[in-house]
Amino acid sequence: MKNKILEKRKLAYGVHEFWIENPTVSKNAKPGQFVIFRLYENGERIPLTISAINKDSFRVIVKAIGKSTYELCRLNKGDFILDVVGPLGMPSEVKYYGNVLVVGGGVGIAAIAPIVKELLKEKNNVDVILGGRNKEYIILEDEFKNANNIYIVTDDGSLGEKAYPHQFMEKLMQEKKYDIIWAIGPSKMMKACSEVAKKHDIKIWVSLNSIMVDGTGMCGGCRVRIGNELKYTCVDGPEFDGRLVDWESFEKRLNQYREEEKIALSRYLQEVGEPTWL
Amino acid sequence: MAVKQRIETIERNPNERNKDFNEVNLGYTQELAIEEAKRCIQCPIPTCAQGCPVGIDIPGFIKKIAEKDFEGSYKVLKKYNSLPAICGRVCPQEIQCERSCVLNKVDQPISIGALERFIADWAINNNIEEDILPEKRINKKIAIIGAGPAGLTTASELSKAGFSVDMYEVFHDVGGVLIYGIPEFRLPKSIVKKEAQLLKKLGVNIFTNIPVGLAIHPKELLEKYDAIFIGVGAGTPKFMNIEGTELNGVYSANEFLTRINLMKAYKFPQNDTPVKIGEKIVVIGGGNTAMDAARSALRLGADVTVVYRRSENEMPARKEEIKHAKEEGVKFQTLTQPVRYIGDENGNLIGIECIKMELGEPDESGRRKPTPIPNSNFVIESTVAIEAIGTNPNKLLLSQFKGLELNKWGYIKADELGRTSIEKVFAGGDIVTGSATVILAMGAGKKAASAIKLALS
């Protein structure tokens, strides 16, 4: 059967790793691409980054933030996802650059894992910064052990240095010249990292987590202003040069259904009770 | 010549129907259908059939209705049209078959669309299925990309001819614009589902959730199949790209209608997909998509205004749709063009600055060209704006199909038989013509199917 959950593992509170059986996705996916899930007949379509592939299955790492992700995190090994569409989006532009800095924040760490792997295959020197709220949210550390350097920062200093990723990035860039940067994580982090990169005049790829419906370029709900152009995150991205992103309108668009999201989640929690599975 | 008056179909009361998404037009009863069928004078050279893009034997199927042989009528219909329950509902008959009806000279034309729909519905309700299995199987494989009207028709024609057909669709359901674009109140989705089930019975393999180009490389398709038909539609919305296009509450009609029709956002929170419903919704454009968006918005309880830059005479929407929209309470503000969206500090739309227009000389489309009247700017307060100003070709697939020639608008270059610059590849529907109608896409699918049959025989 398609879309069976083969493995599920809790990585941190509300953060779960899923391996989903789907040969179409696993055989074609490249770093930077994503899938769209629909969990059940009345469900919504949600985009999730593909963070690894293995023969007939692929991995997503999900953070529970609203009704659909709570519901997904409640599923277990052996359960099925009704609809999985993918791979979608343009792959990351991975090639030989020289010195590359890759920053991952929170579940963004999962998104950078396949990119770092490919960058290393292309013989780049790759330095990695992993950032999290606290030590619990520094996930998948093992997967970066082949990087040239790995730095860990936490907001509260419970692991590694007490700093925000962009602050640590600034520090590294004082000492070392990078040819290109990737930064994936919460929009606040990507925006701050983009400002640092802009200051140093170095290209920075960010992966935008816009609100999507179809994910195939037919609705424009995920539109974002890049420089002077209107782009669709799902088919033109999701990776863009962070120096050109109109962060202000991007962040406001992320909030457009905040009230509806609250309604859906509280209604769901009333139905299922305490989310002990998170 | 005294001709009996056209029998009207039964329509639900505007004040009742504008509160739900159930079908507006209830069609004919058996008695009414027979009465209307009897009006047909059975022309020996039927001009009506020439007006139909798939050339249905119209007097033939109508004669059988008059004789009360509904099953016989259905068989005639299905010989020409694989989706009659859909076409009877959404075709612009007034510019096709019904315009060519000779009765136009003396009175109103035969209600061909409503009769087609009556027979198709009757067959569905009575579980009538045509003799569907092909006489012989042909050992050739065809891939159809896109399960909209063009792809569904091609798949059905080729399957009936005995080919083995695999159909790839990126959405979770088949139907294309029939499920995400045209609203439930004009075309119940249960009908699209039933037509799709018939396709499965014909032996068509349907693969949903497959983005061709990303999940299957065109090269792989070319190796695996004897022919490929591309019917992916003109799915990418255009935006006017005026100031404030990024504001929350500004939608493309595609997004708004997809949320409503495909994702059933009007049932939120029973269904998970939300949609913004302002007290005042403005729809920009004058085509059928604009009417669908306006009438959908109305059903969410909003006060809806259609803003159009020309006058009502130039509106490309079907007259019937404009009439329905008006009856239901949609307001029209013509000769008006938005110039800027105004937002609040949270990035939410609060108003639309517009300018008044006047009509000048006719342009290349033959319609009088609108020009702005200086200093006539004014603001319409609104928290939701829906742009229905047309579409562009979707690049999801085309960017992956190397060597496929495109025209200057970015659509696929194909001849009248759907042949493209690549020998094995055929195309039809909106991806060739730009946004057109369901029946024209079906006509293109039918022609491409004949061309494929010819090429592979």
Side-chain angles (χ1 to χ4, degrees):
Chain A
M1 268 296 275
K2 254 172 98 174
N3 308 331
K4 187 178 184 176
I5 298 172
L6 300 180
E7 293 296 337
K8 182 197 182 186
R9 187 164 64 112
K10 181 174 171 175
L11 302 181
Y13 176 77
V15 179
H16 296 259
E17 172 188 57
F18 291 91
W19 281 91
I20 316 282
E21 187 173 22
N22 185 310
T24 306
V25 172
S26 67
K27 292 209 169 86
N28 295 286
K30 295 184 184 75
Q33 292 188 305
F34 64 95
V35 284
I36 283 196
F37 278 16
R38 189 175 70 133
L39 300 181
Y40 71 115
E41 205 47 59
N42 297 333
E44 62 184 334
R45 295 166 64 96
I46 54 167
L48 297 161
T49 305
I50 302 162
S51 70
I53 47 176
N54 179 23
K55 272 198 200 148
D56 285 347
S57 63
F58 70 93
R59 180 179 73 176
V60 288
I61 288 171
V62 182
K63 185 178 181 188
I65 49 164
K67 195 233 173 186
S68 293
T69 42
Y70 269 59
E71 213 170 3
L72 177 52
C73 287
R74 203 179 173 205
L75 295 181
N76 288 307
K77 185 174 167 175
D79 290 338
F80 291 87
I81 313 288
L82 178 62
D83 292 298
V84 172
V85 196
L88 294 167
M90 299 297 284
S92 308
E93 273 188 40
V94 178
K95 59 179 184 190
Y96 177 76
Y97 295 96
N99 287 337
V100 186
L101 177 62
V102 184
V103 189
V107 279
I109 295 173
I112 63 164
I115 298 171
V116 168
K117 205 173 145 193
E118 287 298 307
L119 284 169
L120 288 168
K121 268 193 205 161
E122 296 291 334
K123 308 270 192 284
N124 289 286
N125 293 312
V126 185
D127 289 353
V128 176
I129 302 173
L130 304 182
R133 212 185 321 155
N134 59 48
K135 65 178 179 187
E136 196 193 358
Y137 291 92
I138 302 297
I139 57 171
L140 309 175
E141 207 186 320
D142 285 354
E143 297 186 19
F144 299 93
K145 57 177 184 280
N146 294 329
N148 295 65
N149 291 292
I150 172 164
Y151 307 98
I152 290 169
V153 297
T154 47
D155 297 1
D156 65 355
S158 54
L159 190 67
E161 195 156 323
K162 182 176 187 302
Y164 291 115
H166 72 279
Q167 296 169 330
F168 197 83
M169 177 181 154
E170 171 78 74
K171 200 172 107 182
L172 283 184
M173 288 175 78
Q174 305 283 351
E175 299 156 11
K176 193 166 172 183
K177 172 99 178 66
Y178 290 99
D179 297 294
I180 195 157
I181 302 164
W182 259 268
I184 305 178
S187 67
K188 252 171 86 179
M189 180 206 103
M190 293 193 288
K191 182 184 171 189
C193 290
S194 296
E195 274 159 16
V196 175
K198 197 170 179 176
K199 202 179 101 191
H200 290 266
D201 198 22
I202 293 173
K203 182 162 182 172
I204 178 167
W205 285 111
V206 296
S207 179
L208 299 184
N209 54 330
S210 309
I211 293 175
M212 291 183 189
V213 188
D214 59 292
T216 63
M218 59 143 302
C219 87
C222 65
R223 66 189 181 275
V224 57
R225 203 165 279 284
I226 305 293
N228 287 323
E229 285 181 274
L230 212 51
K231 296 274 189 187
Y232 293 179
T233 306
C234 66
V235 288
D236 299 316
E239 293 187 359
F240 295 102
D241 186 339
R243 297 171 302 172
L244 302 176
V245 173
D246 176 356
W247 290 101
E248 196 192 323
S249 71
F250 171 73
E251 289 186 331
K252 283 175 178 169
R253 279 187 73 76
L254 284 179
N255 290 329
Q256 62 186 310
Y257 298 107
R258 204 53 80 181
E259 273 167 52
E260 289 84 353
E261 285 160 4
K262 268 188 220 150
I263 293 170
L265 181 59
S266 71
R267 199 169 162 270
Y268 178 67
L269 290 177
Q270 256 174 24
E271 194 185 302
V272 298
E274 267 306 296
T276 49
W277 66 90
L278 288 184
Chain B
M1 185 167 58
V3 181
K4 259 179 87 181
Q5 267 214 328
R6 178 178 178 144
I7 310 291
E8 295 302 331
T9 51
I10 301 161
E11 269 178 16
R12 293 170 62 215
N13 180 301
N15 284 323
E16 174 204 310
R17 72 189 194 222
N18 66 8
K19 291 172 188 66
D20 63 46
F21 280 81
N22 299 333
E23 199 168 15
V24 164
N25 193 316
L26 302 177
Y28 281 139
T29 59
Q30 288 198 12
E31 293 69 32
L32 293 179
I34 293 167
E35 214 180 319
E36 176 67 9
K38 283 183 177 160
R39 284 178 67 230
C40 174
I41 59 171
Q42 295 290 318
C43 305
I45 300 165
T47 46
C48 53
Q50 292 161 20
C52 170
V54 295
I56 295 175
D57 172 11
I58 292 168
F61 94 84
I62 291 182
K63 184 161 183 268
K64 297 234 186 276
I65 300 178
E67 290 164 357
K68 229 183 155 184
D69 175 10
F70 301 144
E71 191 167 346
S73 175
Y74 180 64
K75 285 195 169 138
V76 175
L77 254 186
K78 278 295 258 194
K79 231 196 268 176
Y80 300 88
N81 185 344
S82 44
L83 309 169
I86 293 165
C87 288
R89 286 176 166 83
V90 303
C91 272
Q93 290 100 4
E94 68 278 8
I95 58 163
Q96 295 174 334
C97 54
E98 293 180 16
R99 186 168 70 179
S100 323
C101 173
V102 295
L103 290 191
N104 278 307
K105 289 179 190 150
V106 285
D107 196 8
Q108 285 170 298
I110 299 291
S111 201
I112 301 167
L115 288 173
E116 177 182 29
R117 168 192 162 165
F118 165 76
I119 284 299
D121 285 358
W122 178 87
I124 289 173
N125 294 333
N126 289 282
N127 294 313
I128 306 295
E129 280 162 24
E130 37 169 357
D131 205 2
I132 45 178
L133 290 178
E135 288 168 20
K136 54 170 180 148
R137 301 243 44 119
I138 300 168
N139 194 19
K140 295 270 161 88
K141 290 180 78 176
I142 320 287
I144 310 276
I145 310 171
L152 290 171
T153 307
T154 317
S156 152
E157 293 288 320
L158 290 173
S159 190
K160 278 194 271 187
F163 291 92
S164 142
V165 179
D166 288 351
M167 188 147 122
Y168 297 96
E169 165 58 40
V170 70
F171 265 142
H172 51 258
D173 278 328
V174 303
V177 73
L178 306 173
I179 54 158
Y180 76 76
I182 302 174
E184 184 81 21
F185 55 82
R186 283 213 291 134
L187 176 66
K189 303 305 152 220
S190 58
I191 288 172
V192 184
K193 278 217 166 85
K194 290 214 169 98
E195 303 268 32
Q197 274 160 12
L198 286 179
L199 214 58
K200 279 190 192 162
K201 283 195 182 149
L202 275 172
V204 176
N205 300 307
I206 300 175
F207 302 98
T208 51
N209 293 326
I210 303 286
V212 173
L214 295 172
I216 304 177
H217 198 275
K219 216 176 92 191
E220 194 186 326
L221 287 177
L222 286 164
E223 282 162 14
K224 211 169 146 190
Y225 292 96
D226 298 291
I228 296 163
F229 175 80
I230 305 177
V232 293
T236 293
K238 279 183 198 162
F239 284 96
M240 295 183 290
N241 207 356
I242 55 177
E243 186 186 330
T245 303
E246 306 91 288
L247 290 170
N248 297 330
V250 178
Y251 287 105
S252 72
N254 266 16
E255 180 181 359
F256 187 75
L257 289 171
T258 300
R259 285 179 182 271
I260 302 279
N261 295 326
L262 184 72
M263 307 311 294
K264 304 267 181 288
Y266 58 88
K267 292 184 184 164
F268 179 87
Q270 279 79 33
N271 283 42
D272 291 340
T273 306
V275 66
K276 286 257 173 254
I277 310 160
E279 261 175 51
K280 270 201 80 178
I281 295 186
V282 168
V283 177
I284 299 141
N288 288 319
T289 310
M291 295 309 121
D292 284 345
R295 295 173 69 198
S296 297
L298 200 79
R299 283 160 169 78
L300 302 172
D303 169 272
V304 182
T305 306
V306 168
V307 165
Y308 181 56
R309 63 196 181 123
R310 292 179 156 108
S311 73
E312 199 180 307
N313 280 330
E314 287 83 23
M315 278 198 180
R318 293 180 71 182
K319 291 281 167 283
E320 190 191 349
E321 298 307 324
I322 298 172
K323 180 180 140 248
H324 277 147
K326 280 187 176 168
E327 284 170 0
E328 289 166 6
V330 173
K331 295 173 204 158
F332 287 74
Q333 176 133 19
T334 53
L335 291 167
T336 301
Q337 169 89 340
V339 292
R340 179 170 72 101
Y341 292 117
I342 304 161
D344 66 9
E345 67 278 9
N346 298 318
N348 296 320
L349 180 75
I350 51 171
I352 307 170
E353 186 183 325
C354 296
I355 192 163
K356 290 202 171 129
M357 309 290 276
E358 60 189 350
L359 292 180
E361 295 300 307
D363 62 10
E364 34 325 334
S365 76
R367 295 180 300 173
R368 293 178 64 193
K369 194 179 153 82
T371 46
I373 302 171
N375 304 319
S376 64
N377 297 40
F378 66 103
V379 173
I380 305 176
E381 274 178 42
S382 169
T383 49
V384 174
I386 303 164
E387 289 195 20
I389 59 157
T391 51
N392 282 321
N394 192 327
K395 34 188 169 178
L396 178 70
L397 170 72
L398 300 189
S399 59
Q400 312 287 327
F401 234 112
K402 302 284 178 266
L404 188 66
E405 267 182 55
L406 307 179
N407 66 21
K408 64 174 170 175
W409 298 281
Y411 295 104
I412 297 176
K413 246 189 199 175
D415 67 11
E416 75 284 359
L417 292 175
R419 291 179 294 209
T420 69
S421 58
I422 304 174
E423 201 196 332
K424 273 184 180 181
V425 180
F426 297 76
D430 286 4
I431 194 58
V432 172
T433 56
S435 295
T437 62
V438 169
I439 189 71
L440 284 173
M442 291 178 56
K446 220 175 160 164
K447 277 185 193 148
S450 327
I452 291 171
K453 281 185 224 167
L454 201 70
L456 296 183
S457 63

